[in-house]
Amino acid sequence: MNALQKFSLEGKVALVTGGSRGLGRAMAEALGDAGAAVAVTARTLAAAQAAADELSALGIRAYGVQLEVSDVDDVERAVEQVSTEFGEIDVLLNNAGIGVAGRAFETPDSAWHEVFSVNVDGIWYCSRAVGRRMAERGGGTIVNVGSMSAEIVNQPRWQASYLSSKAAVHQLTKALAAEWAPHGIRVNAMAPGYFLTEMSPVDQPEFKEWCVDPAAMKRYGLPPELGPVAIFLASDASSFMTGSIVKVDGGFTLF
């Protein structure tokens, strides 16, 4: 196998949580471009199915499934559904996540728990459910979406819960990588910086001072730029990597 062939995901089945829009949608398409059959999840079946239909129109074998990642029973149900109806999962991309802004003194405990239930519990539940099956089959790859916010405090938006949850994602990535390596399961994460999505309109003038100017490259990222990173971490191109956090931030955290 030559170097370029190692990036191929032909014959693989990938599950992308939160794959109906934004970064998740872009990465789902990228995995499909690399040859994978892709199952995408969303909180509503309509959104998941719409994304799957879009991928199918591009020639990608796709499947939409409703999933609330913070509900352990729903995770077990969805993983069983995908595995039996679409195919056993070779690649898990844990992308589903939320952020709630607010000053620490004013943030209700419910908001703190909601962020952690999706961003941390969701990855824990999905990784465990899929990981068990991967271990039985001899291995697989898990890619978690962390954030550069795991190691900085973003300005001007105060969001202690989000920052803390992403730091937890990075450490959970390392913990599972160490524990599951003997099972042939590699677990890595990416740490995106500011990317332009519907939920993150960093192209607006008011964000330039905080989100663009501090980056070495003096720009924000576009969702398709994250897709190749997902392919790399999901494929044999990264076969000797596990427990790594790959930063993709345009040099924002260099200073």
Side-chain angles (χ1 to χ4, degrees):
M1 181 183 294
N2 65 37
L4 287 179
Q5 289 174 324
K6 292 184 177 180
F7 288 87
S8 174
L9 293 172
E10 286 290 340
K12 304 292 186 181
V13 172
L15 173 62
V16 180
T17 68
S20 66
R21 60 179 180 171
L23 298 181
R25 171 64 178 76
M27 290 188 287
E29 183 174 334
L31 296 181
D33 288 343
V38 184
V40 292
T41 83
R43 279 178 159 169
T44 68
L45 180 58
Q49 190 58 59
D53 289 344
E54 291 173 0
L55 295 174
S56 296
L58 297 173
I60 297 167
R61 180 171 170 254
Y63 182 80
V65 60
Q66 183 175 0
L67 173 62
E68 175 49 67
V69 297
S70 64
D71 182 332
V72 64
D73 293 331
D74 203 38
V75 168
E76 295 289 345
R77 188 269 314 159
V79 169
E80 174 68 24
Q81 179 180 333
V82 171
S83 300
T84 58
E85 297 184 9
F86 189 64
E88 289 288 353
I89 300 164
D90 303 291
V91 176
L92 169 63
L93 200 165
N94 283 309
N95 170 74
I98 61 171
V100 177
R103 295 178 179 274
F105 286 144
E106 301 159 5
T107 299
D109 289 343
S110 59
W112 172 273
H113 291 306
E114 181 185 10
V115 170
F116 267 77
S117 70
V118 174
N119 294 4
V120 184
D121 294 351
I123 288 182
W124 168 248
Y125 296 151
C126 292
S127 296
R128 188 177 56 183
V130 175
R132 286 195 188 103
R133 290 175 175 270
M134 287 180 171
E136 292 172 356
R137 298 172 60 234
T141 59
I142 297 175
V143 181
N144 296 327
V145 178
S147 175
M148 70 173 184
S149 301
E151 60 182 67
I152 67 167
V153 176
N154 305 79
Q155 296 185 82
R157 189 181 193 223
W158 300 114
Q159 48 182 358
S161 59
Y162 181 80
L163 309 184
S164 302
S165 72
K166 290 301 183 178
V169 168
H170 289 192
Q171 193 64 6
L172 178 58
T173 297
K174 296 176 184 179
L176 296 182
E179 185 175 341
W180 291 352
H183 297 292
I185 302 171
R186 296 189 298 108
V187 188
N188 293 291
M190 58 179 74
Y194 288 112
F195 277 77
L196 177 62
T197 66
E198 293 176 5
M199 296 180 63
S200 182
V202 291
D203 59 337
Q204 298 303 303
E206 62 265 30
F207 292 105
K208 184 175 183 296
E209 175 186 358
W210 306 101
C211 304
V212 177
D213 291 345
M217 295 179 71
K218 302 299 181 185
R219 69 177 181 88
Y220 48 78
L222 297 173
E225 293 183 286
L226 206 54
V229 182
I231 294 171
F232 171 64
L233 293 177
S235 70
D236 286 341
S238 59
S239 58
F240 195 51
M241 288 176 62
T242 198
S244 295
I245 313 296
V246 179
K247 201 177 298 179
V248 192
D249 69 351
F252 190 96
T253 56
L254 291 173
F255 302 104

